[in-house]
Amino acid sequence: MNTRRKFLQQTLLGSLAVGNADFLFNQADWSEKTDKNAFPAVISTWAPNIKANVAAWQVLAAGGYALDAVEAGVRVPEADPNDTSVGYGGFPDRDGHVTLDACIMDEKGMAGCVTFLQQIMHAVSVARRVMEKTPHVILSGEGALQFALSQGFVKENLLTEKAKKALEEWRVESKYKPIINIERHDTIGMLALDTQRRLCGACSTSGAAFKMHGRVGDSPVIGAGLFVDNEVGAAVCTGLGELVLRTLGSFLVVEEMRRGAHPQKAVETAVKRIVKKYPVQSEEAQVAFVALDRKGRHGAYSIHPGFNYALYQQGENRVIEAGSLFEK
Ligand code: SD4
C-alpha cells in the first residue's frame, strides 16, 4: 500500500475524541491544504496533549508570551495522573522512583533544564526558574530538588497506584526493551509562536518506563530533545531518547531550517539521519519530531507509523497523524 493511502486509512480508523478535537487529520492532506504560515500557533507531541494546547492557546490568544504559553501547556499533563509518561502518574524507574526530566527555552536563546528530579510535580516550572534565577542551564537530582524547594515548590508523592501496579507487572519478566508506540507515549514537547513572533519551547517527561535508576534521556538536553532559535524556528521530539541524544536531533532540525528547508523537510532529515546511523535500533524504536518555524509553518515526522501531534492555529485545535519513514 502506498504511503499516502495508508495514511488515509489511518485517518479513517483513527478518529479520536480528545478535548474538542473530534477527528484525526491526515498530515499529508492537512499540510497541503492548510499549512497556513499563521501565528500565534502552538504544536505539541501526541494526541492527548491537545488539552495542553488549550491551556497554551489561552495565553497566546490573549496576546501573551510564548514562554508563559508553553509552561502553562506542559503543566497540564504534568498534573494528570492518567498520563503515564509525564509528571504525576509517570511510570517509575525499575527501582520504583518517578524521576523527571524537563527543559524550557526562550526566544532569546536562554534555557533551563532539570534532570533526575524527584517528588516535584511541575518539572517544567522548576526548569524555568533554573533559566531565570540561576547562572546555570541544568540542575540535576538532589540539587535540582533543593533548588525547587528553595523556590517554594512542595514535595509530593508522584507514584500512583496504577504506576505501581505497572511496575509490579513489569518485574515479572524485567525485560528492558522499550515497546515503542505500543505503550502509550504522552511525553510532551511543545512549541509556541506568539503574536509578537516570539518562539519558545518546552519539554517534560518521566522518561523511559522502568529505566535504570539515574538514567537521563534526551528531553532535558538542549539540542537533543528541544532546540529553539528565534531567527529560524524550533524543534522538539519524543521517543527513544538514546537515539536522539546521539544525533542531537532537534538541533539538526533547526539547522536544516536555517539552511532554507521547510519544517517538514527538516524533520524528515533528522529522522533519516537516525535511521541511517542506527538502522538496527531504529527497527524497534520510535522517534518523532515536530517543528515550527518563525512564519508559523510546521512539520512532523516519525520513524514508525503511529505518531500524532496536536496543532492549534487560527483558532482550530486539531490532532494530526504524522507521516513516517517506515510503513507498518
Ligand atoms: C526519553 N524521549 O526519556 C523520552 C521519552 C519519550 O514518549 O519521549 N517518550 O527517552
Side-chain angles (χ1 to χ4, degrees):
M1 192 187 298
N2 73 31
T3 312
R4 186 178 160 78
R5 261 180 45 222
K6 189 169 172 142
F7 289 162
L8 285 173
Q9 192 184 56
Q10 283 171 351
T11 304
L12 292 172
L13 291 173
S15 188
L16 284 184
V18 268
N20 51 4
D22 296 325
F23 301 103
L24 191 66
F25 284 84
N26 169 261
Q27 188 193 12
D29 288 354
W30 174 269
S31 297
E32 280 164 25
K33 291 182 192 150
T34 59
D35 190 11
K36 298 279 193 195
N37 303 359
F39 55 93
V42 57
I43 188 168
S44 53
T45 53
W46 303 112
N49 290 323
I50 194 162
K51 291 178 280 183
N53 277 8
V54 173
W57 186 261
Q58 274 171 2
V59 176
L60 297 172
Y65 182 19
L67 194 71
D68 295 328
V70 293
E71 183 185 5
V74 169
R75 287 173 65 96
V76 172
E78 283 183 338
D80 181 353
N82 294 314
D83 188 320
T84 57
S85 308
V86 185
Y88 179 46
F91 280 170
D93 64 20
R94 55 182 64 180
D95 300 332
H97 306 283
V98 180
T99 74
L100 306 178
D101 294 337
C103 70
I104 195 161
M105 193 164 186
D106 74 11
E107 81 287 0
K108 296 184 284 296
M110 299 303 284
C113 317
V114 289
T115 72
F116 194 55
L117 175 66
Q118 298 181 58
Q119 296 177 288
I120 302 288
M121 187 182 294
H122 291 298
V124 71
S125 297
V126 184
R128 183 169 178 175
R129 298 285 177 96
V130 171
M131 176 174 86
E132 291 177 342
K133 309 268 183 200
T134 81
H136 306 305
V137 173
I138 305 178
L139 289 181
S140 185
E142 183 60 25
L145 174 62
Q146 290 311 322
F147 170 69
L149 296 174
S150 77
Q151 292 291 311
F153 292 82
V154 288
K155 272 191 185 177
E156 285 171 279
N157 173 27
L158 304 180
L159 186 64
T160 58
E161 286 306 313
K162 180 179 168 181
K164 246 191 237 170
K165 196 161 166 267
L167 175 61
E168 278 158 24
E169 284 165 10
W170 176 82
R171 277 183 175 149
V172 175
E173 291 202 17
S174 296
K175 272 198 199 141
Y176 185 63
K177 186 167 183 268
I179 313 167
I180 301 301
N181 257 351
I182 294 172
E183 63 178 83
R184 215 167 127 85
H185 275 269
D186 303 339
T187 287
I188 186 163
M190 178 179 267
L191 309 171
L193 181 64
D194 66 25
T195 51
Q196 295 179 44
R197 287 179 90 181
R198 291 171 298 196
L199 195 51
C200 298
C203 198
S204 183
T205 186
S206 50
F210 320 126
K211 61 197 174 186
M212 288 177 69
H213 189 58
R215 183 263 190 189
V216 170
D218 59 317
S219 303
V221 177
I222 296 300
L226 170 74
F227 196 67
V228 178
D229 185 332
N230 205 61
E231 287 174 24
V232 181
V236 71
C237 66
T238 177
L240 186 65
E242 281 71 9
L243 287 176
V244 179
L245 280 166
R246 295 189 199 115
T247 50
L248 284 188
S250 293
F251 183 70
L252 175 59
V253 172
V254 173
E255 291 309 293
E256 285 298 304
M257 291 192 282
R258 193 188 309 281
R259 284 148 46 103
H262 184 282
Q264 184 59 33
K265 287 282 165 246
V267 289
E268 289 175 14
T269 299
V271 166
K272 286 175 188 160
R273 175 76 57 87
I274 290 173
V275 173
K276 183 164 177 245
K277 291 285 273 183
Y278 305 101
V280 178
Q281 276 180 288
S282 298
E283 285 287 326
E284 298 188 334
Q286 177 66 299
V287 172
F289 293 91
V290 298
L292 185 65
D293 73 8
R294 60 175 277 109
K295 295 180 182 159
R297 300 180 304 174
H298 80 280
Y301 203 59
S302 55
I303 300 177
H304 298 276
F307 172 61
N308 45 44
Y309 61 101
L311 177 72
Y312 208 147
Q313 197 170 31
Q314 295 196 312
E316 281 191 299
N317 199 10
R318 299 281 188 234
V319 169
I320 303 166
E321 185 81 31
S324 61
L325 189 60
F326 292 173
E327 293 200 351
K328 266 199 184 110

